Amino acid sequence: MALVPCQVLRVAILLSYCSILCNYKAIEMPSHQTYGGSWKFLTFIDLVIQAVFFGICVLTDLSSLLTRGSGNQEQERQLRKLISLRDWMLAVLAFPVGVFVVAVFWIIYAYDREMIYPKLLDNFIPGWLNHGMHTTVLPFILIEMRTSHHAYPSRSSGLTAICTFSVGYILWVCWIHHVTGMWVYPFLEHIGPGARIIFFGFTTILMNFLYLLGEVLNSYIWDTQKSMEEEKEKPKLE
């Protein structure tokens, strides 16, 4: 039996994301007042994705609790839709985008923080909030993947969805540059057009790789869990 029920963990994670979002939006940074506002940053978009995803998880848990033993076919059909939406969001958005934000942010930060998170931001964003946006996303999503089985969509439709998201965000970043003359991320100012094209192509490929990684990890976790349960159920020879 788990030390903390997964339903309680989901509520706690959802509340933490709500707190992070509220604190982030309360910060009066100049970049929040320019074209695109907070929505030009993938970190903020990811926080919204994670909050919506865990909100759906909590709603699914509540619906499951309310429909348990009711025998109402319509309620059960709606519950199955919620579960399908929850699983789709984890596969296509929550896992790949969340892991991408954590990995790319800290890799670039370790190389040269001024390229992605200038020291000036320390005057606006406290350290705990920075980790809430760029670190805890990864363990939270891994906890969810470990505590509940998620059915992935077909590989073709899943990859199409994550490609659409990736290309859509790249076009959004390019549009902001077209309107304002400034790139959302400082390092894009220091590389040439060819290098930007390569970087954008790489990020799309990485998103696809992370989708496949999530699919493989999900299968590994639950295939291993199933094998362990089957092993326990086998009669022991004396």
Side-chain angles (χ1 to χ4, degrees):
M1 184 175 177
L3 293 176
V4 180
C6 59
Q7 294 87 350
V8 175
L9 282 172
R10 290 187 186 116
V11 171
I13 292 172
L14 174 60
L15 291 175
S16 72
Y17 276 124
C18 291
S19 174
I20 291 168
L21 281 167
C22 289
N23 279 276
Y24 179 75
K25 291 298 291 182
I27 296 172
E28 295 184 1
M29 288 199 303
S31 59
H32 288 181
Q33 312 304 321
T34 56
Y35 185 82
S38 303
W39 291 98
K40 57 179 170 283
F41 300 112
L42 186 59
T43 293
F44 178 76
I45 294 172
D46 178 51
L47 288 175
V48 173
I49 288 172
Q50 302 298 330
V52 170
F53 168 68
F54 279 99
I56 292 172
C57 288
V58 170
L59 184 59
T60 301
D61 290 337
L62 289 173
S63 298
S64 179
L65 182 64
L66 293 173
T67 59
R68 185 176 300 168
S70 67
N72 188 310
Q73 292 185 352
E74 177 60 24
Q75 287 182 343
E76 291 178 358
R77 187 172 69 84
Q78 295 300 325
L79 176 59
R80 285 194 295 271
K81 285 184 177 181
L82 266 179
I83 292 172
S84 295
L85 177 60
R86 179 200 69 183
D87 293 351
W88 185 89
M89 274 208 71
L90 176 125
V92 172
L93 294 175
F95 183 87
V97 178
V99 176
F100 179 91
V101 166
V102 173
V104 173
F105 175 84
W106 287 113
I107 288 171
I108 299 177
Y109 186 98
Y111 176 74
D112 183 357
R113 68 168 293 178
E114 293 298 317
M115 296 174 68
I116 195 166
Y117 193 81
K119 288 183 180 180
L120 176 66
L121 292 178
D122 291 341
N123 298 323
F124 299 96
I125 303 176
W128 70 266
L129 185 55
N130 179 29
H131 285 290
M133 297 187 297
H134 297 116
T135 305
T136 58
V137 173
L138 182 56
F140 284 168
I141 204 64
L142 290 177
I143 288 170
E144 171 59 26
M145 186 172 278
R146 177 61 184 84
T147 55
S148 299
H149 177 263
H150 298 271
Y152 266 60
S154 68
R155 185 167 291 180
S156 59
S157 64
L159 290 174
T160 299
I162 191 62
C163 276
T164 301
F165 175 86
S166 302
V167 173
Y169 181 69
I170 290 168
L171 292 175
W172 171 230
V173 169
C174 291
W175 175 254
I176 291 171
H177 176 262
H178 172 73
V179 172
T180 65
M182 299 288 291
W183 288 104
V184 173
Y185 303 102
F187 71 90
L188 292 173
E189 301 278 0
H190 304 292
I191 58 178
R196 287 191 203 107
I197 292 172
I198 292 172
F199 175 77
F200 289 146
F202 170 76
T203 57
T204 303
I205 293 170
L206 181 57
M207 282 285 199
N208 280 267
F209 170 77
L210 291 174
Y211 173 86
L212 295 174
L213 176 64
E215 183 181 55
V216 171
L217 185 60
N218 182 67
S219 297
Y220 173 78
I221 290 171
W222 291 99
D223 286 348
T224 303
Q225 180 75 9
K226 185 178 179 182
S227 298
M228 291 174 61
E229 290 175 355
E230 289 175 350
E231 192 66 27
K232 288 181 181 178
E233 291 175 359
K234 287 182 180 179
K236 295 182 179 179
L237 297 177
E238 297 184 3

